[in-house]
């Protein structure tokens, strides 16, 4: 019995390999016939257009797009002389066709308009301004406030130090004989050892080659996290990149005062209005 079943199974496997099996798992059903071969070579060729037959076959698959594609290819590779009657090029308006309509220009690909991409500072910081600090005209400061309460103190665009013709001679964080911002040491989670600053607390002094001296204030209440020592060795970056590498200091306000510190500051729009009024007043006096 076992030998007969084994021979039967071997015969079934052999017939399966030959694709001539009529029984499958004990059930009488015909072996599935192979699908008819696709007519891959059925290409409709336009004898009047000298293009690649394969390209015409791709156009024929597109259905309604076929005449347009044929016409586009015919314009590139069509032989010299007038097109035959009824040809798509004649229909679209060839100069030699009777009653030809004006040729319609095909739409080109839309040109991507480069949108103004915001800078890293504009994406993650909010600009606040303090105009005429300590009553000194045009000595404006810019405060970049991050969402985590950190404020970066920088110079505003209209500050005299950033105007053309100014050359920075030196920068000093030595506020007085007994106070230096370079001695600020911060440690731990609660920022122990940080110097506490008020709105009018001086941060540094800038000395220019023309003898002018400018004092940069904090403009916000909080703890001094760090100062930018790079501007001591290379003061020019304060003028070249005032909002990034040329910042003055970083201040961390108190949590309960993080929203109230901006009450006395100007938004960017308000500050631009102040600058416009200045320029108008200067023009009127001159």
């Amino acid at each position: 019995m076992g030998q007969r079943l084994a021979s039967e199974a071997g015969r079934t496997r052999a017939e399966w390999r030959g694709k001539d099996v009529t029984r499958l798992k004990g059930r009488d059903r015909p072996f599935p016939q192979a699908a008819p071969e696709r007519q891959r070579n059925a290409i409709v060729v336009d004898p009047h257009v000298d293009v690649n037959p394969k390209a015409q076959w791709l156009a024929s698959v597109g259905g309604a797009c076929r005449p347009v594609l044929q016409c586009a290819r015919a314009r590139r590779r069509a032989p010299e002389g007038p097109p035959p009657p009824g040809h798509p090029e004649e229909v679209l308006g060839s100069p030699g066709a009777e009653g030809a309509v004006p040729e319609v220009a095909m739409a080109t690909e839309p040109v991507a308009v480069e949108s103004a991409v915001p800078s890293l500072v504009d994406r993650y910081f909010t600009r606040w301004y303090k105009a005429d600090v300590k009553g000194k005209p045009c000595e404006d400061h810019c405060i970049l406030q991050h969402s985590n309460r950190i404020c970066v103190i920088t110079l505003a665009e209209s500050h005299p130090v950033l105007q053309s013709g100014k050359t920075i001679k030196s920068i000093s964080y030595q506020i007085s004989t007994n106070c230096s911002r370079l001695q600020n040491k911060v440690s731990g989670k609660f920022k122990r050892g940080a110097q506490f600053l008020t709105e009018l607390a001086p941060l540094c002094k800038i000395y220019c080659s023309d003898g002018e001296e400018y004092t940069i204030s904090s403009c916000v209440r909080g703890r001094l996290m760090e100062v930018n020592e790079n501007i001591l060795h290379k003061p020019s970056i304060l003028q070249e990149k005032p909002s990034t590498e040329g910042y003055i200091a970083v201040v961390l306000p108190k949590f309960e005062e993080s929203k109230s510190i901006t009450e006395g500051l100007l938004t960017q729009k308000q500050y631009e209005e102040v600058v416009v009024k200045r320029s108008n007043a200067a023009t009127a006096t001159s």
Side-chain angles (χ1 to χ4, degrees):
M1 182 66 178
Q3 294 179 355
R4 186 172 63 82
L5 291 177
S7 62
E8 187 72 16
R11 184 176 61 83
T12 304
R13 286 195 296 270
E15 292 177 353
W16 176 265
R17 294 190 189 97
K19 297 182 181 181
D20 193 19
V21 178
T22 57
R23 293 186 303 168
L24 183 61
K25 294 185 179 180
R27 299 181 182 179
D28 295 335
R29 55 184 179 182
F31 184 79
Q33 300 293 330
E37 185 179 359
R38 296 178 61 181
Q39 302 296 329
R40 298 182 182 272
N41 297 326
I43 302 175
V44 180
V45 180
D46 190 349
H48 304 295
V49 182
D50 185 15
V51 295
N52 189 358
K54 184 177 180 181
Q56 279 208 346
W57 173 74
L58 292 175
S60 64
V61 176
C65 300
R66 177 186 175 187
V68 179
L69 294 176
Q70 285 182 349
C71 180
R73 293 185 178 92
R75 291 180 185 277
R76 294 197 304 265
R77 304 183 57 182
E80 299 180 358
H87 193 266
E89 185 176 357
E90 183 182 8
V91 174
L92 290 179
S94 176
E98 296 181 358
V101 295
E103 184 175 354
V104 180
M106 300 181 65
T108 58
E109 296 182 0
V111 179
V113 180
E114 296 183 0
S115 58
V117 179
S119 63
L120 183 65
V121 175
D122 295 332
R123 289 176 59 186
Y124 298 104
F125 292 86
T126 303
R127 293 180 182 267
W128 298 94
Y129 293 89
K130 184 74 173 179
D132 302 333
V133 178
K134 294 184 179 181
K136 298 180 180 180
C138 298
E139 293 193 15
D140 307 334
H141 295 8
C142 178
I143 298 92
L144 305 177
Q145 186 182 31
H146 196 268
S147 58
N148 59 1
R149 300 184 292 131
I150 286 182
C151 296
V152 182
I153 311 301
T154 64
L155 296 182
E157 296 83 358
S158 61
H159 197 279
V161 175
L162 303 182
Q163 303 307 314
S164 59
K166 283 286 184 178
T167 303
I168 300 177
K169 183 178 179 180
S170 63
I171 301 175
S172 175
Y173 283 105
Q174 189 74 31
I175 304 305
S176 63
T177 306
N178 300 325
C179 180
S180 176
R181 301 306 181 191
L182 296 176
Q183 297 176 355
N184 184 69
K185 304 297 180 182
V186 182
S187 63
K189 177 180 179 181
F190 297 98
K191 313 302 179 186
R192 295 182 179 89
Q195 300 177 6
F196 188 80
L197 306 173
T198 60
E199 293 88 343
L200 300 179
L203 291 174
C204 69
K205 294 181 179 181
I206 301 176
Y207 302 93
C208 296
S209 59
D210 57 357
E212 294 290 338
E213 177 183 337
Y214 302 94
T215 301
I216 310 303
S217 302
S218 173
C219 300
V220 294
R221 286 170 51 89
R223 296 178 178 179
L224 180 62
M225 294 292 100
E226 66 175 61
V227 294
N228 186 9
E229 299 184 12
N230 295 328
I231 61 177
L232 299 178
H233 310 292
K234 190 178 179 181
S236 60
I237 62 175
L238 181 60
Q239 296 174 317
E240 297 171 358
K241 303 177 181 179
S243 299
T244 53
E245 299 179 13
Y247 69 96
I248 304 297
V250 178
V251 180
L252 178 63
K254 292 183 178 180
F255 179 78
E256 56 272 15
E257 298 179 359
S258 58
K259 295 183 179 180
S260 61
I261 59 173
T262 60
E263 292 179 355
L265 303 178
L266 302 176
T267 62
Q268 186 171 3
K269 184 177 180 180
Q270 294 172 345
Y271 177 70
E272 291 175 355
E273 295 176 355
V274 171
V275 174
V276 171
K277 291 180 180 178
R278 284 181 188 169
S279 60
N280 295 338
T283 305
T285 54
S286 60

